[in-house]
Amino acid sequence: MTATLTGPAGRMQIARGLIALRERSGLTQLQVAQRAGVSKATVSRYEMWQDRARIRWATVKAIADACQASVEEREALVRVARSQTDGWWVGNSAIPQWMDPLVSFEQEAEYEHLYANTVIPGLLQTREYASAIHQAREVRSSDGEIERMVNARIQRQGVLDRQTPPHLWAVLDEAVLRRTVGSRAVMERQLAHLDELAQRPSVDIQVLPFSAGAHAAGAGHFVILGRNDERNPLNSMAVVYIEMRRRGLYLDDPEDVEAYKLTFDYLRSQAVDTAASSRLVARARQELSHG
């Protein structure tokens, strides 16, 4: 019976699928465990995507069968458990452990909606800007360590260059444009890069101007990642990532996710449209070049 180190995105799909099957069947975790021939702790662990233990596809099959899953439902979950491969970020010391799920979710997401209020988000950063950010935050890290972190960030951005990239929708507080990171020249090139990315059909960038006053977020940086599959709901996913100092918080409870989706909708409505946002970026860039 093969065990695989299934990534967070795959684990979430399996966990959500098994929970849905168990709730539909009206069984408790103990009852499922007895029918599947495993312990209650095993059933509980397979329903918790943040557990990092290895997944056994045969156990997924047994639990699904215990919940009276259809052949299609069972095979869909088993296929996820059997097809997982370690991504480039797994075991990469340049990727903090708390960011491992974020990078994994980005590989599977159809959309990524984010709000940033202090710095340009990682997926939109130039190498120079990313280097300046890491130098400021990692004051005790060596130049070599910082370079590896920057390389990892640039490699992570490759998700935007896929043949079918996720739709990235970013709402940036105007403060993000006005905070000079690195130098005026570095910042000017970063704003030019933002403008270039905004021309892509898969990228939308809006600016929340100072004139908007108090706004819906009321807090800091957050990311919503998701994938919708109406034909196969078990293949859908949605998770919120909240960035903190030296750790990240992941929320996947449907009520939490819906609350952040609503917040993002309000932020989009309070921000200026993409054309006006492009003009704000251009104005900030012009001020840097003539300052």
Side-chain angles (χ1 to χ4, degrees), residues 17-221:
L18 293 179
I19 290 172
L21 291 172
R22 180 173 61 78
E23 291 180 344
R24 188 182 69 189
S25 67
L27 299 172
T28 65
Q29 288 185 341
L30 179 58
Q31 290 171 323
V32 170
Q34 292 171 338
R35 294 186 179 193
V38 298
S39 69
K40 180 177 179 292
T42 296
V43 174
S44 177
R45 182 165 59 81
Y46 275 58
E47 290 186 2
M48 295 176 59
W49 70 265
Q50 297 195 51
D51 190 300
R52 299 178 66 85
R54 291 181 178 270
I55 286 282
R56 296 180 182 274
W57 66 263
T59 302
V60 172
K61 178 178 181 295
I63 294 174
D65 282 337
C67 296
Q68 300 176 316
S70 68
V71 173
E72 293 77 14
E73 291 169 335
R74 181 192 68 202
E75 291 307 309
L77 293 175
V78 169
R79 190 160 50 248
V80 174
R82 299 186 72 167
S83 65
Q84 295 296 298
T85 57
D86 289 345
W88 62 267
W89 61 92
V90 177
N92 188 330
S93 61
I95 299 290
Q97 189 176 74
W98 70 85
M99 280 193 68
D100 174 56
L102 174 64
V103 182
S104 175
F105 287 130
E106 284 179 339
Q107 306 304 307
E108 303 293 333
E110 289 181 346
Y111 65 85
E112 180 167 342
H113 297 166
L114 62 87
Y115 166 69
N117 66 338
T118 55
V119 298
I120 302 292
L123 288 180
L124 303 176
Q125 293 176 2
T126 63
R127 177 176 288 275
E128 292 175 302
Y129 187 98
S131 180
I133 288 292
H134 280 91
Q135 287 171 359
R137 291 181 175 176
E138 308 294 334
V139 293
R140 297 192 176 184
S141 297
S142 67
D143 290 343
E145 290 172 326
I146 289 176
E147 184 177 4
R148 285 193 292 275
M149 293 176 194
V150 173
N151 287 339
R153 177 152 297 183
I154 299 303
Q155 187 169 359
R156 177 185 155 211
Q157 294 173 359
V159 71
L160 298 179
D161 297 320
R162 292 189 325 212
Q163 186 173 359
T164 306
H167 180 200
L168 178 64
W169 197 321
V171 175
L172 310 180
D173 193 288
E174 188 174 352
V176 171
L177 309 181
R178 299 295 179 176
R179 183 183 302 278
T180 301
V181 172
S183 68
R184 297 175 72 91
V186 167
M187 197 65 198
E188 184 184 353
R189 286 190 286 271
Q190 172 62 71
L191 295 181
H193 183 61
L194 269 188
D195 190 52
E196 291 172 5
L197 289 173
Q199 307 308 311
R200 299 189 183 190
S202 61
V203 177
D204 285 296
I205 297 175
Q206 286 183 265
V207 175
L208 184 66
F210 292 138
S211 59
H215 53 76
H221 185 112

